mmCIF file of all heavy atoms in Angstrom:
data_model
loop_
_atom_site.group_PDB
_atom_site.id
_atom_site.type_symbol
_atom_site.label_atom_id
_atom_site.label_comp_id
_atom_site.label_asym_id
_atom_site.label_seq_id
_atom_site.Cartn_x
_atom_site.Cartn_y
_atom_site.Cartn_z
ATOM 1 N N ALA A 101 2.690 0.029 -13.114
ATOM 2 C CA ALA A 101 1.433 0.206 -13.742
ATOM 3 C C ALA A 101 0.277 0.421 -12.740
ATOM 4 O O ALA A 101 -0.887 0.302 -13.092
ATOM 5 C CB ALA A 101 1.080 -0.998 -14.628
ATOM 6 N N VAL A 102 0.548 0.726 -11.494
ATOM 7 C CA VAL A 102 -0.469 1.083 -10.515
ATOM 8 C C VAL A 102 -0.414 2.551 -10.239
ATOM 9 O O VAL A 102 0.663 3.101 -10.019
ATOM 10 C CB VAL A 102 -0.225 0.174 -9.253
ATOM 11 C CG1 VAL A 102 -1.320 0.538 -8.197
ATOM 12 C CG2 VAL A 102 -0.273 -1.288 -9.542
ATOM 13 N N ASP A 103 -1.595 3.138 -10.187
ATOM 14 C CA ASP A 103 -1.747 4.552 -9.859
ATOM 15 C C ASP A 103 -2.137 4.806 -8.440
ATOM 16 O O ASP A 103 -2.994 4.153 -7.880
ATOM 17 C CB ASP A 103 -2.896 5.083 -10.707
ATOM 18 C CG ASP A 103 -2.405 6.034 -11.780
ATOM 19 O OD1 ASP A 103 -1.520 6.813 -11.590
ATOM 20 O OD2 ASP A 103 -3.076 5.960 -12.909
ATOM 21 N N TYR A 104 -1.463 5.775 -7.798
ATOM 22 C CA TYR A 104 -1.837 6.220 -6.473
ATOM 23 C C TYR A 104 -2.049 7.731 -6.465
ATOM 24 O O TYR A 104 -1.306 8.444 -7.237
ATOM 25 C CB TYR A 104 -0.739 5.869 -5.460
ATOM 26 C CG TYR A 104 -0.448 4.404 -5.402
ATOM 27 C CD1 TYR A 104 0.526 3.842 -6.186
ATOM 28 C CD2 TYR A 104 -1.217 3.590 -4.562
ATOM 29 C CE1 TYR A 104 0.835 2.459 -6.084
ATOM 30 C CE2 TYR A 104 -0.877 2.135 -4.493
ATOM 31 C CZ TYR A 104 0.092 1.644 -5.291
ATOM 32 O OH TYR A 104 0.384 0.313 -5.218
ATOM 33 N N TRP A 105 -2.979 8.201 -5.716
ATOM 34 C CA TRP A 105 -3.295 9.660 -5.670
ATOM 35 C C TRP A 105 -3.364 10.151 -4.276
ATOM 36 O O TRP A 105 -3.734 9.468 -3.336
ATOM 37 C CB TRP A 105 -4.706 9.931 -6.372
ATOM 38 C CG TRP A 105 -4.704 9.676 -7.822
ATOM 39 C CD1 TRP A 105 -4.947 8.490 -8.479
ATOM 40 C CD2 TRP A 105 -4.443 10.605 -8.920
ATOM 41 N NE1 TRP A 105 -4.913 8.614 -9.774
ATOM 42 C CE2 TRP A 105 -4.625 9.870 -10.110
ATOM 43 C CE3 TRP A 105 -4.106 12.002 -8.903
ATOM 44 C CZ2 TRP A 105 -4.453 10.554 -11.306
ATOM 45 C CZ3 TRP A 105 -3.951 12.546 -10.112
ATOM 46 C CH2 TRP A 105 -4.101 11.868 -11.333
ATOM 47 N N GLY A 106 -2.936 11.426 -4.142
ATOM 48 C CA GLY A 106 -3.128 12.103 -2.905
ATOM 49 C C GLY A 106 -4.540 12.655 -2.785
ATOM 50 O O GLY A 106 -5.339 12.510 -3.673
ATOM 51 N N GLN A 107 -4.842 13.216 -1.622
ATOM 52 C CA GLN A 107 -6.158 13.745 -1.280
ATOM 53 C C GLN A 107 -6.383 15.123 -1.950
ATOM 54 O O GLN A 107 -7.523 15.564 -2.025
ATOM 55 C CB GLN A 107 -6.358 13.819 0.199
ATOM 56 C CG GLN A 107 -5.750 15.021 0.891
ATOM 57 C CD GLN A 107 -4.234 14.976 1.089
ATOM 58 O OE1 GLN A 107 -3.661 13.928 0.761
ATOM 59 N NE2 GLN A 107 -3.665 16.021 1.621
ATOM 60 N N GLY A 108 -5.344 15.808 -2.303
ATOM 61 C CA GLY A 108 -5.470 17.076 -3.016
ATOM 62 C C GLY A 108 -5.165 18.220 -2.044
ATOM 63 O O GLY A 108 -5.537 18.164 -0.837
ATOM 64 N N THR A 109 -4.711 19.343 -2.579
ATOM 65 C CA THR A 109 -4.539 20.553 -1.805
ATOM 66 C C THR A 109 -4.935 21.788 -2.681
ATOM 67 O O THR A 109 -4.605 21.794 -3.869
ATOM 68 C CB THR A 109 -3.045 20.635 -1.394
ATOM 69 O OG1 THR A 109 -2.941 21.830 -0.512
ATOM 70 C CG2 THR A 109 -2.083 20.831 -2.527
ATOM 71 N N GLN A 110 -5.674 22.666 -2.022
ATOM 72 C CA GLN A 110 -6.267 23.767 -2.838
ATOM 73 C C GLN A 110 -5.221 24.837 -3.004
ATOM 74 O O GLN A 110 -4.537 25.278 -2.054
ATOM 75 C CB GLN A 110 -7.440 24.311 -2.056
ATOM 76 C CG GLN A 110 -8.033 25.561 -2.686
ATOM 77 C CD GLN A 110 -8.777 25.232 -3.993
ATOM 78 O OE1 GLN A 110 -9.534 24.275 -4.076
ATOM 79 N NE2 GLN A 110 -8.587 26.019 -4.994
ATOM 80 N N VAL A 111 -5.170 25.311 -4.202
ATOM 81 C CA VAL A 111 -4.293 26.515 -4.515
ATOM 82 C C VAL A 111 -5.259 27.566 -5.105
ATOM 83 O O VAL A 111 -5.996 27.293 -6.102
ATOM 84 C CB VAL A 111 -3.168 26.149 -5.604
ATOM 85 C CG1 VAL A 111 -2.463 27.451 -6.042
ATOM 86 C CG2 VAL A 111 -2.168 25.227 -4.943
ATOM 87 N N THR A 112 -5.338 28.749 -4.550
ATOM 88 C CA THR A 112 -6.118 29.806 -4.977
ATOM 89 C C THR A 112 -5.287 30.989 -5.251
ATOM 90 O O THR A 112 -4.533 31.470 -4.297
ATOM 91 C CB THR A 112 -7.223 30.108 -3.972
ATOM 92 O OG1 THR A 112 -7.989 28.929 -3.672
ATOM 93 C CG2 THR A 112 -8.143 31.270 -4.481
#
Side-chain angles (χ1 to χ4, degrees):
V102 180
D103 250 321
Y104 301 91
W105 292 89
Q107 78 285 356
T109 184
Q110 178 70 45
V111 171
T112 302

